[in-house]
Amino acid sequence: MGAWYWWTIFGMALVTYIPRVFPLTFLEGKKLPPVISGVLSNIPFAVLGALIFPAILYVQQGNLLFGVIGAVVAFTLAIISTNVMVVVLGTIGVLAVYSLLF
């Protein structure tokens, strides 16, 4: 392995480390305004939605209904229940039954 690989790994580690250490260093002990705190608390949900939505469209080639049914069941179970395992297992169960029937 040449020096280029080590410099690449070092660069990636540095780029990953800097965005994590700056907030810890400069925001430690400070209270954020409620607006910023609210936005930051919703970022994981927004990222999760951005990751999941394309998967809904491409979960099964040529069968968009499969992904839509899974999304509707998952959203419905998520609204009804707060337990993630219920959402995941319920969605898998419904899609398994759908696959058997159609």
Side-chain angles (χ1 to χ4, degrees), residues 8-102:
T8 303
I9 292 171
F10 176 74
M12 290 188 300
L14 188 66
V15 168
T16 303
Y17 182 73
I18 287 173
R20 294 174 189 217
V21 77
F22 276 138
L24 288 174
T25 304
F26 295 116
L27 296 177
E28 183 179 353
K30 294 181 181 177
K31 186 166 176 70
L32 293 174
V35 173
I36 293 175
S37 181
V39 168
L40 290 176
S41 68
N42 287 324
I43 284 178
F45 298 112
V47 170
L48 193 61
L51 291 173
I52 289 174
F53 187 72
I56 291 171
L57 300 177
Y58 298 110
V59 67
Q60 195 174 40
Q61 290 292 336
N63 191 1
L64 182 64
L65 190 60
F66 191 79
V68 171
I69 289 173
V72 168
V73 170
F75 289 136
T76 304
L77 289 176
I79 290 171
I80 294 171
S81 172
T82 58
N83 191 344
V84 175
M85 289 305 292
V86 171
V87 174
V88 171
L89 295 176
T91 304
I92 290 172
V94 168
L95 290 178
V97 170
Y98 176 78
S99 295
L100 289 174
L101 295 176
F102 300 103

